[in-house]
Amino acid sequence: MEKSIETIWKKGFLESDALVAPKINNLYGQKSKTIIDRLKRMMKINTYVIAIFAVLNTGLYAFLGTPYTGLFLFFLFMVACWVSIRQEKSLKNIDINLSSYEYLKSFNDRLKSAISGNAKAMRFLYPLAFIACLMPIVHSLKKVDVTREAILNSGLHLTYGIPTVAWAVAILIAIVMYIFGKKIYYWDVNLVYNRIFKKIESMINEMEELRK
Amino acid sequence: MSSDFYKASILPYAAIIIKICRAYTNSQEDFEDYYQEVCLQIWRSRENFNEHAQWSTWVYRLSLNVCLTLLKKKKNTYQHFASDMLPEEAAVDSHAFADESLNQLYDAIKQLSEVDRGVILLYLEEKSYQEIADIIGTNPNNIGVRIKRIKERLKKLLDGKVN
């Protein structure tokens, strides 16, 4: 080696083009794509999980002696799958030729609108699923001698072999679930996607500030 | 990031960022990504800057941290892919600078450990041992010995004695 590393370093950077700063552009191009691909992947996995759970749940309900309730819940889960697939499809048609900011903003707007639309459908699903979930309990209360006798001797007014007051409480809970259905749905969605939603929001905010 | 901020607070230190990013990347594409990410991180962290410190030291520290983080992320990503993807990615762009000796020096620096690369870059930028220790986050007493060892290794690499 003829020159010391210090000399090579100093002399090398005397060249006029050695330290030309690259132009800052498309700062978020790859990031936007990565985060949206991740969200889409999560949505797809979520749909598969619901579908698999729906099948397993049907089997479980059949085992518990309430196969029709199982089929009804299967139908409800399929509705949830359909909602999820619809959500995914609505996000597929965004023009990829848009700038990173416009793409991310457009994606976020569509996502919010899809979630808001789904919330309307899901508020019916939660109370129905709740009532359906009670059916195996109703079935076992009526089937087991001890509980059946206790109910019959309770002196309460019965409907379909169960105290009417219990039905009333269940219906009341279902009504509350309907009223708060949107909130439950948002809580449910945030439970799975909150981190990624926040990331998208923070990227958009940052990009808006960068554009100033 | 406003263009005023870029012009006033980043562009005068672009040389520092370029030198560091070059040491941690093997292609022009990666270099530009790293450079942009460092600029963005400087802008993001501008409010955390301690007025008593030197802005250039802050830029060095952030640049090194960002490069090390990106390198780590890249390594983790590689672990998820098939090994047949690696050779193309690992191809070294040895013609980043017009000066051939500088290209060779960078190639040698890239063969050092990630932290040693940071240490030697700071040394070559004539930072004091104390400043190097502050930026790297180590004891200043070890810096001298470490630099001596790194320089010996670089000398061997440049002499072609070590592959």
Side-chain angles (χ1 to χ4, degrees):
Chain A
M1 189 178 70
E2 294 165 3
K3 293 180 279 185
S4 71
I5 60 164
E6 291 88 344
T7 315
I8 296 172
W9 189 257
K10 273 184 193 159
K11 196 175 160 281
F13 285 115
L14 289 177
E15 295 283 342
S16 58
D17 63 339
L19 293 170
V20 176
K23 205 176 162 189
I24 295 202
N25 56 11
N26 196 19
L27 206 54
Y28 279 96
Q30 191 53 39
K31 275 190 173 182
S32 314
K33 202 177 165 302
T34 310
I35 196 160
I36 287 174
D37 285 350
R38 197 171 134 211
L39 182 63
K40 284 181 178 171
R41 217 167 36 241
M42 281 174 79
M43 282 176 169
K44 201 166 267 179
I45 291 169
N46 193 34
T47 311
Y48 288 139
V49 169
I50 297 172
I52 292 166
F53 185 74
V55 174
L56 295 175
N57 194 64
T58 312
L60 177 74
Y61 271 71
F63 175 74
L64 292 172
T66 51
Y68 294 113
T69 313
L71 284 174
F72 179 66
L73 272 173
F74 180 79
F75 167 75
L76 292 183
F77 280 123
M78 286 302 110
V79 172
C81 276
W82 171 75
V83 164
S84 183
I85 291 167
R86 201 183 63 160
Q87 193 164 291
E88 272 178 67
K89 275 189 181 168
S90 73
L91 299 171
K92 270 185 186 164
N93 306 323
I94 301 171
D95 184 5
I96 52 165
N97 295 317
L98 295 171
S99 73
S100 302
Y101 171 73
E102 284 161 342
Y103 178 66
L104 210 56
K105 187 104 178 70
S106 167
F107 184 90
N108 199 39
D109 291 345
R110 286 226 199 152
L111 187 67
K112 277 183 183 166
S113 135
I115 289 173
S116 164
N118 295 341
K120 284 175 196 156
M122 296 297 273
R123 67 191 306 191
F124 291 98
L125 198 135
Y126 291 122
L128 288 173
F130 170 71
I131 298 284
C133 286
L134 293 178
M135 289 308 135
I137 302 171
V138 170
H139 179 75
S140 58
L141 285 174
K142 285 164 69 179
K143 201 178 174 187
V144 178
D145 291 340
V146 183
T147 51
R148 192 178 60 231
E149 289 300 318
I151 290 168
L152 288 172
N153 297 330
S154 65
L156 294 168
H157 182 267
L158 302 181
T159 305
Y160 187 58
I162 295 291
T164 310
V165 67
W167 285 119
V169 170
I171 289 167
L172 194 70
I173 293 171
I175 290 169
V176 171
M177 286 180 106
Y178 171 77
I179 294 167
F180 292 101
K182 272 190 177 180
K183 283 196 173 156
I184 299 171
Y185 177 65
Y186 282 117
W187 174 79
D188 191 9
V189 168
N190 279 331
L191 207 66
V192 184
Y193 302 111
N194 191 33
R195 269 182 66 187
I196 204 156
F197 286 169
K198 277 193 174 167
K199 183 98 183 152
I200 291 174
E201 286 281 351
S202 97
M203 276 175 82
I204 291 173
N205 290 340
E206 208 163 65
M207 285 160 101
E208 277 171 353
E209 213 171 323
L210 282 166
R211 286 159 69 97
K212 280 178 192 167
Chain B
M1 176 169 29
S2 69
S3 111
D4 286 349
F5 179 82
Y6 182 72
K7 280 179 192 160
S9 305
I10 297 183
L11 214 48
Y13 302 92
I16 297 171
I17 307 169
I18 292 169
K19 286 171 185 175
I20 292 176
C21 291
R22 283 278 179 213
Y24 289 95
T25 56
N26 288 327
S27 67
Q28 182 64 19
E29 198 186 4
D30 276 355
F31 162 69
E32 285 176 13
D33 282 350
Y34 279 43
Y35 179 85
Q36 291 193 353
E37 193 60 39
V38 169
C39 293
L40 194 63
Q41 199 55 47
I42 293 171
W43 174 74
R44 276 184 194 139
S45 319
R46 65 197 184 284
E47 280 160 18
N48 298 334
F49 173 64
N50 179 353
E51 298 291 333
H52 301 294
Q54 270 193 319
W55 181 252
S56 63
T57 306
W58 177 251
V59 172
Y60 272 114
R61 183 178 292 147
L62 276 176
S63 306
L64 282 170
N65 282 344
V66 171
C67 287
L68 290 172
T69 307
L70 291 176
L71 207 62
K72 196 174 167 189
K73 266 189 195 169
K74 200 172 182 182
K75 275 183 186 171
N76 287 341
T77 310
Y78 275 151
Q79 284 170 1
H80 298 293
F81 290 99
S83 58
D84 58 353
M85 287 185 73
L86 287 170
E88 194 191 342
E89 284 289 329
V92 177
D93 173 17
S94 308
H95 306 285
F97 303 104
D99 187 308
E100 199 42 45
S101 301
L102 186 61
N103 284 328
Q104 285 172 3
L105 177 58
Y106 257 103
D107 286 346
I109 288 174
K110 284 175 193 172
Q111 292 186 52
L112 300 172
S113 76
E114 286 147 21
V115 178
D116 281 354
R117 282 185 232 179
V119 172
I120 199 67
L121 287 172
L122 294 169
Y123 164 77
L124 290 169
E125 285 295 297
E126 297 175 342
K127 292 278 161 196
S128 69
Y129 288 1
Q130 184 62 54
E131 277 180 290
I132 297 173
D134 286 347
I135 293 169
I136 299 290
T138 184
N139 189 334
N141 300 330
N142 302 330
I143 295 292
V145 182
R146 195 164 188 169
I147 289 171
K148 193 170 173 259
R149 209 187 59 227
I150 297 169
K151 281 174 74 178
E152 278 168 9
R153 181 152 157 76
L154 282 177
K155 191 176 180 306
K156 280 182 187 171
L157 286 165
L158 288 167
D159 285 345
K161 285 178 185 168
V162 175
N163 285 324

